[in-house]
Amino acid sequence: MTWNLVCDSSSDLTSAQLVPGKLTLTVVPLTLLVGDREFRDDARLDVDELLHHMSAASGPSSTACPSPAAFAEAFEGADCSLCFTISGNLSGTYAAAVTARDMVLEQHPEKKIFVLDSKSTAGALVLLIRKARALLEEGLEDFEALCRRLQEYQASLRTVFTLENFDNLVKNGRMKPLLGSLLHTLGVHVVAEGTREGTIKMVGKARGERSTLRALLSYLQTNKDCHQAEVVISHCNNLDGAQKLKEMIQKALPVKSVSTLACRGLTSFYAMEKGLIVVF
């Protein structure tokens, strides 16, 4: 029996053969539209070039979710597929994956396909992929039981992030220009969380890097029992900040692991320069 772990490119991962002949990771790319340029969020994307064009563009930028056909191609390549997507409240990607599942099952009713809305992005998809692989390696191949375990795990995950560049929010009409300019001038970083419903809620502001990292650590300390938790820190051209936060978390909390991952296209589009996204 062959298995395909499928996610969209908001995971910051790239496709890979995990266990030859049995287990594959397929990453389905979104598309980023900046001015008159179109950027495909795949392994060939130059993130620095994307950020440069976003900074130079005077008008709003946007994203486009993958087509159902792109997900269908991934689902057709294995007996069983487990698919994880960016929050359905942030993108049409989840809906596209569900449509693809229905299309493939109509033609191949013998296949098993599960699509799970992560209610988040970035590290949430990474942790779900890791969890699915671990469960399969433990020998759990009962499809329904596996899906239930993944749903339970998704419900336990928490997301917090910080922004210090607000250009994209201003250009897309989500923040007033005066407020964005004032926050940047004062060195204020917005701290926000991903809600259980998959939306975004601002939870505070911090001034300067040190205060921002402390605010992120405080969120981890107060919003979940982190004993043996796995933590993923995604960063947009901010490896130094990610490493500092990693050390703070490891020193203060009894976590199992902390890993850092560079943002690719979609997460860079939202996090912008120096942004940090923490999922645990």
Side-chain angles (χ1 to χ4, degrees), residues 23-278:
L23 182 60
T24 301
L25 170 63
T26 301
V27 180
V28 181
L30 285 92
T31 301
L32 312 171
L33 308 171
V34 182
D36 60 354
R37 289 286 304 275
E38 182 174 296
F39 295 86
R40 183 178 168 86
D41 190 12
D42 58 19
R44 293 169 292 183
L45 175 68
D46 186 326
V47 175
D48 288 335
E49 182 183 6
L50 168 68
L51 291 171
H52 171 74
H53 275 80
M54 288 177 64
S55 177
S58 57
S61 302
S62 62
T63 66
C65 67
S67 67
F71 281 108
E73 182 179 356
F75 297 157
E76 289 170 347
D79 300 318
C80 301
S81 296
L82 302 169
C83 177
F84 312 106
T85 74
I86 185 174
S87 171
N89 278 316
L90 300 177
S91 168
T93 301
Y94 172 71
V98 170
T99 299
R101 177 198 64 195
D102 296 344
M103 290 166 49
V104 173
L105 290 178
E106 184 176 353
Q107 297 295 320
H108 304 280
E110 76 283 359
K111 290 186 181 293
K112 296 183 178 180
I113 304 170
F114 175 60
V115 180
L116 180 60
D117 183 344
S118 75
K119 304 295 180 70
S120 183
T121 187
L125 278 69
V126 176
L127 291 175
L128 285 164
I129 290 289
R130 289 181 185 174
K131 186 67 171 179
R133 181 176 183 179
L135 290 171
L136 288 170
E137 290 176 346
E138 290 170 7
L140 179 58
E141 295 194 357
D142 180 299
F143 194 78
E144 299 303 323
L146 184 57
C147 294
R148 286 195 299 271
R149 291 284 297 275
L150 291 169
Q151 287 174 312
E152 292 168 359
Y153 184 63
Q154 180 278 319
S156 74
L157 297 176
R158 301 289 178 268
T159 303
V160 63
F161 63 93
T162 181
L163 304 176
E164 64 173 272
N165 185 317
F166 311 102
D167 288 351
N168 201 26
L169 295 178
V170 171
K171 290 177 182 178
N172 285 281
R174 297 184 180 181
M175 179 179 285
K176 294 180 179 179
L178 181 60
L179 176 59
S181 176
L182 180 61
L183 291 174
H184 181 75
T185 300
L186 295 176
V188 173
H189 301 183
V190 167
V191 180
E193 67 176 354
T195 69
R196 302 286 182 89
E197 295 75 30
T199 57
I200 294 171
K201 176 184 176 183
M202 192 173 81
V203 294
K205 303 186 192 75
R207 193 169 181 177
E209 181 188 49
R210 188 174 182 83
S211 294
T212 301
L213 297 181
R214 284 201 300 262
L216 292 172
L217 176 61
S218 176
Y219 186 92
L220 269 70
Q221 291 172 318
T222 58
N223 282 273
K224 182 176 175 179
D225 179 359
C226 288
H227 180 71
Q228 289 298 293
E230 293 185 62
V231 182
V232 176
I233 304 171
S234 302
H235 68 89
C236 183
N237 286 347
N238 192 8
L239 179 58
D240 181 63
Q243 292 285 14
K244 288 177 181 176
L245 180 59
K246 175 180 178 178
E247 292 170 6
M248 291 170 65
I249 292 171
Q250 290 175 322
K251 183 177 180 180
L253 295 170
V255 296
K256 180 180 180 181
S257 65
V258 183
S259 53
T260 61
L261 194 62
C263 289
R264 296 199 53 76
L266 193 282
T267 46
S268 293
F269 181 89
Y270 285 112
M272 293 298 291
E273 196 84 23
K274 302 300 182 182
L276 296 173
I277 307 170
V278 186

